[in-house]
Amino acid sequence: MSPLSVVARRSLGTLTLTSIFARQHSSLTTELIENMDKKATWDRFYTENSSSNFKNFEWFFGFDSVRDFVLPLLQPQIRTATPLHVLDMGCGTSALGPSIYQHSSVQVTVTCADISPIAVRLMREHVAAKAIEPHHPLSILGFLELDCREMFAHFGADELDLIVDKGTTDALLRSKDGSGKAGHVVRQCLRTLRGSGRLLQFSDEDPDARLLWLETEGREPGERPAQVVVQEVGELRGVRYYCYQVTSPPVVELL
């Protein structure tokens, strides 16, 4: 596929993403398009989106649409007693992370991270007020202010088992110099994952554009391409969505 075709598909995706946003916040649409990678944009968005009657804001779709992609990946650890660590990257005020905490029958530590301290505060307050209970009694739910471009400010190598990305990479890709920023995030994600860990990206971007990009950007110079599997999530409001499952390139042992 030509670079022009990829740009055209991403432009259409930008219209999809921002049209969802504009239905509720038309005054912020221009700022969102131009500054999807900026903390100030999301602080303003979540400030204007907050009210005394809290409601989760879901990009694309909610937990019920993706539970069958996420929960089967949460399997008991055989070689270690360490609980699985799940990161909801760019959580905003989505119910995705808390829902994993509520529905995982396996012990998990769920960290919901976002660049906006407003979103993090709103979610902490909401979860505390609602007193959400986990499926597994030892599971833990936490919230963290974190710029996903600086993953190693908080997470080390081989620390996470699953990273869920519902729209965060899409937002970065559509910002200025977005491909480089988003590629940096993908590489950091793969480095923070344990050997069997996975990165799940939910996106409206067509596989013709996203697959090659992930295979290319998910590797350091000299490494083999990342392994990517794509599944269709379904269609919502005339838009088709996909789940991209990314794992680190296999390590080649020298004989």
Side-chain angles (χ1 to χ4, degrees):
M1 171 174 287
S2 71
L4 183 59
S5 298
V6 173
V7 170
R9 288 182 183 275
R10 290 205 172 133
S11 297
L12 289 171
T14 300
L15 293 175
T16 301
L17 192 67
T18 53
S19 63
I20 294 171
F21 182 92
R23 281 198 288 270
Q24 295 189 22
H25 300 275
S26 57
S27 65
L28 276 176
T29 303
T30 301
E31 180 180 351
L32 182 76
I33 294 172
E34 296 176 350
N35 299 285
M36 283 182 158
D37 61 331
K38 300 293 193 301
K39 173 181 172 294
T41 301
W42 298 109
D43 281 348
R44 182 181 168 193
F45 168 62
Y46 289 114
T47 297
E48 294 197 4
N49 193 45
S50 64
S51 67
S52 57
N53 185 23
F54 177 89
K55 184 178 180 180
N56 295 107
F57 185 91
E58 301 292 351
W59 290 105
F60 303 151
F61 36 67
F63 173 73
D64 287 341
S65 297
V66 301
R67 63 184 299 156
D68 291 338
F69 296 91
V70 175
L71 295 182
L73 298 179
L74 303 178
Q75 299 296 325
Q77 298 279 63
I78 298 175
R79 298 182 180 179
T80 175
T82 304
L84 295 171
H85 195 166
V86 179
L87 173 66
D88 180 4
M89 185 177 72
C91 64
T93 56
S94 168
L96 177 62
S99 295
I100 295 172
Y101 169 75
Q102 284 182 289
H103 292 278
S104 173
S105 60
V106 177
Q107 181 184 356
V108 290
T109 296
V110 179
T111 301
C112 302
D114 199 89
I115 194 173
S116 170
I118 308 297
V120 171
R121 176 180 58 79
L122 289 170
M123 286 302 292
R124 282 176 176 157
E125 292 173 353
H126 171 63
V127 167
K130 200 172 180 181
I132 294 174
E133 295 293 334
H135 188 293
H136 191 288
L138 297 180
S139 289
I140 298 171
L141 175 64
F143 297 91
L144 172 70
E145 181 186 345
L146 178 71
D147 185 336
C148 64
R149 293 168 296 187
E150 300 175 2
M151 293 274 285
F152 280 102
H154 190 83
F155 299 107
D158 305 316
E159 186 172 341
L160 301 171
D161 297 284
L162 178 64
I163 300 174
V164 183
D165 168 5
K166 185 160 69 76
T168 299
T169 292
D170 289 45
L172 283 174
L173 279 170
R174 288 146 188 165
S175 66
K176 185 178 180 181
D177 301 321
S179 184
K181 295 172 185 175
H184 173 69
V185 170
V186 169
R187 290 188 293 275
Q188 283 198 97
C189 285
L190 293 180
R191 288 177 63 193
T192 61
L193 288 170
R194 295 188 177 117
S196 59
R198 292 173 173 86
L199 165 64
L200 288 189
Q201 286 189 356
F202 294 99
S203 173
D204 63 348
E205 184 166 51
D206 191 279
D208 287 347
R210 182 61 65 93
L211 278 173
L212 180 60
W213 181 82
L214 280 170
E215 290 171 351
T216 303
E217 292 297 332
R219 63 175 174 178
E220 299 290 349
E223 287 186 349
R224 299 174 67 182
Q227 296 181 314
V228 188
V229 176
V230 61
Q231 293 176 275
E232 187 174 310
V233 177
E235 189 172 311
L236 180 65
R237 294 185 291 270
V239 179
R240 198 168 298 279
Y241 293 94
Y242 302 91
C243 173
Y244 297 91
Q245 185 177 140
V246 191
T247 54
S248 296
V251 176
V252 178
E253 295 184 4
L254 300 177
L255 299 178

